[in-house]
Amino acid sequence: MINIEHVSKQFGSLQVLEDISINIDQGDIFGIIGQSGAGKSTLLRCLNLLETPTGGDILFHGQSILRKDLKLDEYREKFGMVFQLFNLFENLSVLDNVTIGLRKVKKIPKEQAEKKAMELLKQVGLESKADVYPSKLSGGQKQRVAIAGVMAMHPKCIVMDEPTAMLDPHGRKSVIETAKKLNKEEGITVILITHYMEEVVDADQVFVMDDGRIVMHGTPREIFSRVDELKKYRMDVPQVTMLADELIRRGVDLPKGILRREELVEALCRLY
Ligand code: ADP
Ligand code: MG
C-alpha cells in the first residue's frame, strides 16, 4: 500500500532521516520504536506531507505522493492521525467530537453522523460517555475518543504518534487494545510510533530507529531476541525478555525472544 523508498530529510545541515525504506502492507500493524529525537515524528510528517522529504520517494498504491498534481486533501483523508497530545475539542461533548469530522468535512447529516458515531463509541468501549465533556474523561478514554473520531473518517490507515505517552499503564493498555481490535475487525492498517517496547509485541513488523536511520527490522520475536543490540540503542527491553535473556546466559535452555510472561512460565514449567 505504501512504499517508503530511500527517504531522507534534512533541516538545513541537520540530517534527520537517512535512507529510510519501509514497505507497508494493507492490514498489518507496524511498530516504529526509537529514542526521542530518532526521527520518528519527522518520518510520519513526511508520510502525511506535513514535511517534504529532501530525498527518495513515497509511493501510495504505486504512485508517488510527491508528484505535483497529487490531490492532497483526498490523500490525507485516507490517513488517520492520532497524536501524543489529545486532539479533542474541550467545549464539545464526546459525541460531537466524533461527529464533527463527518459533519463538517464529509457533510453527512446530523442524525446519520450520530448513529455512526455511536457505533464507533461502542467499538472503543465508550458508548456510555457520549454526552460527557472531555474534561471528565481519563487520558486513555480521551485517546479512544480521538481514535473513534479518526475512524469515523474511514481511513485506510491509522497513524499514531506516541498516543500513549501521556497515559498511565491502564490507559496505555486500553489504547493499544483498541488499536489492535480495529486492526482485527476492520482490517485497518496501523502504524504505531512509541517508545514503550511492550506496545509492539503484537505488531506484524517492528522497526527500530536511531539517529535518523532504521537500525533493526523484523518480527517482534526477531527484534526482542537481540537484547544487547536493543540496549545499545537505549531501548527499554521488557522485563520478561530481559529476565529470559539472563537465564539463557546462565545456561537455562529457553527459546530466544520471549515476549510475554506466559511464554516464560510455559518454557520454565517444561524444563522443571
Ligand atoms: P522523534 O519523534 O523520534 O522524537 P523527531 O522526528 O521529532 O524525533 O526529531 C528528529 C530530529 O529532528 C530532532 O533532532 C529534532 O530536533 C529535529 N527536527 C524536527 N523537526 C524539525 C524542524 N522543523 N526544524 C529543525 N529540526 C527539526
Ligand atoms: Mg516524536
Side-chain angles (χ1 to χ4, degrees), residues 9-12 14-17 32-45 51 84 161-162 193 195 209 211-212:
K9 175 70 185 174
Q10 275 171 281
F11 291 110
L14 182 68
Q15 181 100 35
V16 174
L17 297 177
I32 301 178
I33 56 179
Q35 279 289 304
S36 173
K40 305 180 298 294
S41 295
T42 305
L43 177 62
L44 181 65
R45 292 168 64 81
E51 300 283 358
Q84 172 174 353
D161 192 0
E162 304 203 19
I193 295 179
H195 58 250
M209 283 185 73
D211 204 12

Side-chain angles (χ1 to χ4, degrees), residues 45-270:
R45 292 168 64 81
C46 285
L47 265 184
N48 200 24
L49 288 174
L50 292 166
E51 300 283 358
T52 313
T54 37
D57 203 352
I58 298 173
L59 308 182
F60 184 64
H61 291 298
Q63 279 202 307
S64 173
I65 63 164
L66 302 176
R67 67 183 191 273
K68 289 212 170 55
D69 62 345
L70 177 87
K71 295 201 176 67
L72 191 56
D73 289 345
E74 270 178 36
Y75 171 69
R76 281 205 185 132
E77 255 190 60
K78 297 188 177 113
F79 266 100
M81 300 274 252
V82 177
F83 296 97
Q84 172 174 353
L85 292 168
F86 317 118
N87 34 345
L88 296 183
F89 297 102
E90 292 291 329
N91 59 331
L92 295 182
S93 70
V94 163
L95 184 66
D96 290 344
N97 263 289
V98 180
T99 57
I100 190 164
L102 286 172
R103 296 181 57 198
K104 301 274 183 245
V105 181
K106 296 228 167 174
K107 310 283 181 213
I108 290 176
K110 185 168 190 272
E111 206 172 312
Q112 206 181 325
E114 288 184 350
K115 190 165 167 254
K116 177 80 197 157
M118 284 310 294
E119 282 168 25
L120 287 161
L121 285 174
K122 194 171 170 190
Q123 272 187 308
V124 301
L126 290 173
E127 221 181 349
S128 63
K129 301 284 183 191
D131 297 325
V132 163
Y133 285 81
S135 61
K136 295 277 187 291
L137 299 178
S138 71
Q141 290 171 333
K142 284 188 199 178
Q143 283 299 54
R144 278 145 60 202
V145 175
I147 291 173
V150 168
M151 290 301 295
M153 306 305 283
H154 260 297
K156 296 241 179 296
C157 180
I158 185 166
V159 187
M160 305 207 269
D161 192 0
E162 304 203 19
T164 62
M166 318 285 283
L167 306 180
D168 60 20
H170 176 74
R172 275 163 48 192
K173 201 164 166 211
S174 76
V175 168
I176 298 301
E177 290 303 323
T178 302
K180 278 194 268 188
K181 179 167 176 264
L182 292 172
N183 167 265
K184 212 163 155 204
E185 289 174 6
E186 310 284 317
I188 189 163
T189 308
V190 175
I191 303 177
L192 173 65
I193 295 179
T194 178
H195 58 250
Y196 296 110
M197 295 203 46
E198 319 88 81
E199 294 182 355
V200 299
V201 162
D202 292 316
D204 293 290
Q205 292 187 47
V206 176
F207 295 83
V208 182
M209 283 185 73
D210 187 57
D211 204 12
R213 273 172 303 207
I214 290 173
V215 290
M216 296 172 80
H217 165 219
T219 62
R221 204 171 296 284
E222 284 160 359
I223 298 285
F224 283 48
S225 61
R226 291 151 70 184
V227 171
D228 283 343
E229 230 174 307
L230 285 168
K231 282 200 229 156
K232 188 172 96 194
Y233 298 121
R234 291 157 289 151
M235 295 307 308
D236 273 327
V237 181
Q239 268 186 341
V240 63
T241 306
M242 199 84 108
L243 180 59
D245 188 67
E246 276 176 37
L247 290 169
I248 292 169
R249 276 169 217 267
R250 296 286 190 91
V252 181
D253 183 22
L254 296 171
K256 278 208 143 205
I258 283 191
L259 305 173
R260 301 176 185 84
R261 199 172 48 181
E262 312 86 77
E263 284 174 14
L264 180 58
V265 171
E266 270 299 312
L268 284 173
C269 286
R270 234 174 281 135

